Amino acid sequence: MSLALPLLAKVVNKQLSLHNYTLEPEHCIAFAETCKYNKDFMSKLVLNNNGMTDNSFAQLFTGLQCMETISVLDIRKNTI
């Protein structure tokens, strides 16, 4: 879970915006696990140019599907 802590520290007003912040697969797995157990800490996720792979997105989406409060998902400038 220590890999998710730097990401969670960036959540402000239930919004996480990461621009030009490289997310490694391990970060996505840790963040997905956090989403599974904290279903309402975030309502908007903006990922802009994060260098994520298809596998990383799949891991992230596995956790996001458990979220009860996500209303905006913006993943521009990422190759899927």
Side-chain angles (χ1 to χ4, degrees), residues 11 14 42 51 61 66:
V11 176
K14 291 197 169 203
M42 181 178 56
F61 292 152
C66 299

Side-chain angles (χ1 to χ4, degrees), residues 4-33:
L5 291 177
L7 301 177
L8 297 176
K10 297 179 183 304
V11 176
V12 177
N13 294 328
K14 291 197 169 203
Q15 177 177 326
L16 175 60
S17 295
L18 299 174
H19 302 274
N20 303 313
Y21 184 101
T22 302
L23 290 171
E24 299 295 331
E26 295 81 10
H27 291 113
C28 295
I29 292 167
F31 192 71
E33 286 298 311

Side-chain angles (χ1 to χ4, degrees), residues 3-8 10 16-32 45-57 59-61 64 73-76 78:
L3 290 174
L5 291 177
L7 301 177
L8 297 176
K10 297 179 183 304
L16 175 60
S17 295
L18 299 174
H19 302 274
N20 303 313
Y21 184 101
T22 302
L23 290 171
E24 299 295 331
E26 295 81 10
H27 291 113
C28 295
I29 292 167
F31 192 71
L45 177 60
V46 178
L47 300 174
N48 186 339
N49 191 29
N50 304 105
M52 295 170 63
T53 65
D54 291 347
N55 188 43
S56 297
F57 272 110
Q59 292 293 332
L60 184 67
F61 292 152
L64 288 177
L73 178 60
D74 182 347
I75 56 172
R76 64 185 115 160
N78 284 291

Side-chain angles (χ1 to χ4, degrees), residues 63-76:
L64 288 177
Q65 73 182 352
C66 299
M67 295 290 295
E68 296 174 350
T69 57
I70 289 287
S71 60
V72 175
L73 178 60
D74 182 347
I75 56 172
R76 64 185 115 160

